[in-house]
Amino acid sequence: MVVKLQRPILVGGLALSFSLWILQSWYDSIVQVGEFSILSLVVVSGGLWLWKRKHPKTDDVTETLPSDRQTVENAIFKAEVVINRLQQEAENMVEESYLTSVKAQIPQLHTELARQHINLAVTGGKSVGKTTLIQALESKWQQENGKQVIYQETQSLFVEGSATSDVTILANANAADFVLFLANGDLTDTEFQTLQQLKAPQQRLMLVFNKQDQYLPEERASILQSLQQRIPCPVVAAAPSPLPIKVRKHHDDGSVQEWMEQPAPEIQQLTQQLGDIIAQRGQQLVWASTMRKAILLQTEAKDCLNRIRCDRAQPIIEQYQWIAAAAAFANPIPILDVVATAAISGQMVVDLGGIYQQKFSLEQAKTVAGEMGGLMLKLGLVELSTKAITTVLKTNAITFVAGGLAEGLSAAYLTRLAGLSLVEYFQQQEVAVNTDAGLNIDKLRQTLQNVFQQNQQVAFMQSFVKQGVKRLLPEASEEGIIAVENAVG
Ligand SMILES: Nc1nc2c(ncn2[C@@H]2O[C@H](COP(=O)(O)OP(=O)(O)O)[C@@H](O)[C@H]2O)c(=O)[nH]1
Ligand SMILES: [Mg+2]
């Protein structure tokens, strides 16, 4: 643990100097120094981002096989629900042919679920023996019980200049129910990394140390052992087509006879293990493949649905953002009070909820808006944004003429944050047949923080202020606008 921690700290240090450099150039251009809270925010978020990148979530690495058919049918049903919604909301925003094709995938999934055979992909580098192994299995292996196996040789991995990328080849292999990964000895670095990527479907993967006849018997055992230690999946050795060996016979009369003999294929260990897996888990493997396809389809349809909804949400957020700006500009009370007294419009929450099929009454929506305002205060976002906006504004004369400008812009910015956070939050919700309007405040808080970090970039703040000044002071003096444009660069 101690060792693990060292790295993020180092990374944090790098992020710090980088942020300092950014801030330096920012402040140089606007001649204003002293926003330490923003500095620390940039440092913290930068460090956090790097840390998250270095430690990807581990829970998507393990995949468990579904234990019953119902689970898979539920997954197909969920995909269908999303597709139906997509069809209802798509109007002219999605190609008709696309809708037809995603819809057609639902009955295909039901067919997949009832599939009686196992698809077995055989993959690995060039000339590792994929074709030969498949031929040996097809001709020599009769399963006593279990499903029929259909073999699929993938294109060869690690071929430089190949038209098909390794990623595509692996994706094709992954679409099968079970994968045999072939290697001819200890793994190269590339093979090792590729296997790591295939780790997700661990329960559907076997590493075959193929052409083991190329090694002396004592070497074979140690290679097999080292592979078993390195790789967390079953490993077996095989030689579907061993090299012919020279046989020498000494006769009684002293003569010696020599000939080449073709040894029998060594695939017993492989067929034994494969046979066990298929007999015990064949059905589950088919369920799992179908499940993955259903989840993939659902994700794809939901992404499409979210894009449509997001397009509808943007103008609504803009509208409420400028309404809030105008109100706070005309009636400047301290921004902390503005937020505390619900600057975020309950109606915006209702409107955005409507787009995402999350039905709120105006009363509920007002509570949500109030909670968001409270969160913004608690998380210090109000203070941070107001300071940032003031910093940008202070570089030109307008501020002093137009009182309330900072308040107006802050109200707009915070409304925008709230709107974007709600969109982000709603997007993560499951598309259900019936939606209840219960809100997960913890999740909303997390979303708010993420969205804030994404929209806190200096460049965004500056262009936002520029846009806001033009809106609130349309007939401001030419000089003022020019001053802002210069400050904004
Ligand atoms: N020594 C040995 N050679 C093999 C074995 N299996 C296949 N080969 C040879 O390896 C070469 C490539 O085999 P192939 O199946 O075409 O590889 P692929 O490119 O992965 O499909 C051929 O010359 C095969 O004869 C084996 O078990 N032992
Ligand atoms: Mg081949």
Side-chain angles (χ1 to χ4, degrees), residues 130-131 153 156:
K130 300 182 289 299
T131 307
E153 177 177 348
S156 297

PDB file of all heavy atoms in Angstrom, residues 130-131 153 156, ligand 2:
ATOM      1  N   LYS A 130      -2.960 -22.390 -35.334  1.00  0.00           N
ATOM      2  CA  LYS A 130      -4.412 -22.294 -35.158  1.00  0.00           C
ATOM      3  C   LYS A 130      -5.143 -23.284 -36.076  1.00  0.00           C
ATOM      4  O   LYS A 130      -5.968 -24.084 -35.617  1.00  0.00           O
ATOM      5  CB  LYS A 130      -4.892 -20.858 -35.443  1.00  0.00           C
ATOM      6  CG  LYS A 130      -4.264 -19.805 -34.536  1.00  0.00           C
ATOM      7  CD  LYS A 130      -4.793 -18.409 -34.813  1.00  0.00           C
ATOM      8  CE  LYS A 130      -4.338 -17.791 -36.135  1.00  0.00           C
ATOM      9  NZ  LYS A 130      -2.879 -17.609 -36.258  1.00  0.00           N
ATOM     10  N   THR A 131      -4.816 -23.198 -37.370  1.00  0.00           N
ATOM     11  CA  THR A 131      -5.515 -24.052 -38.340  1.00  0.00           C
ATOM     12  C   THR A 131      -5.287 -25.527 -38.030  1.00  0.00           C
ATOM     13  O   THR A 131      -6.229 -26.332 -38.017  1.00  0.00           O
ATOM     14  CB  THR A 131      -5.018 -23.740 -39.771  1.00  0.00           C
ATOM     15  OG1 THR A 131      -5.125 -22.336 -39.995  1.00  0.00           O
ATOM     16  CG2 THR A 131      -5.837 -24.475 -40.815  1.00  0.00           C
ATOM     17  N   GLU A 153     -11.515 -19.726 -36.536  1.00  0.00           N
ATOM     18  CA  GLU A 153     -10.137 -19.250 -36.473  1.00  0.00           C
ATOM     19  C   GLU A 153     -10.151 -17.754 -36.720  1.00  0.00           C
ATOM     20  O   GLU A 153     -10.690 -17.293 -37.716  1.00  0.00           O
ATOM     21  CB  GLU A 153      -9.287 -19.961 -37.534  1.00  0.00           C
ATOM     22  CG  GLU A 153      -7.863 -19.451 -37.562  1.00  0.00           C
ATOM     23  CD  GLU A 153      -6.979 -20.197 -38.574  1.00  0.00           C
ATOM     24  OE1 GLU A 153      -7.416 -21.244 -39.086  1.00  0.00           O
ATOM     25  OE2 GLU A 153      -5.878 -19.716 -38.831  1.00  0.00           O
ATOM     26  N   SER A 156      -4.669 -13.694 -37.752  1.00  0.00           N
ATOM     27  CA  SER A 156      -3.514 -13.761 -36.855  1.00  0.00           C
ATOM     28  C   SER A 156      -3.266 -12.415 -36.179  1.00  0.00           C
ATOM     29  O   SER A 156      -3.349 -11.367 -36.812  1.00  0.00           O
ATOM     30  CB  SER A 156      -2.271 -14.172 -37.624  1.00  0.00           C
ATOM     31  OG  SER A 156      -2.458 -15.468 -38.147  1.00  0.00           O
TER      32      SER A 156
HETATM   33 MG    MG B   2      -4.318 -20.431 -40.164  1.00  0.00          MG
END
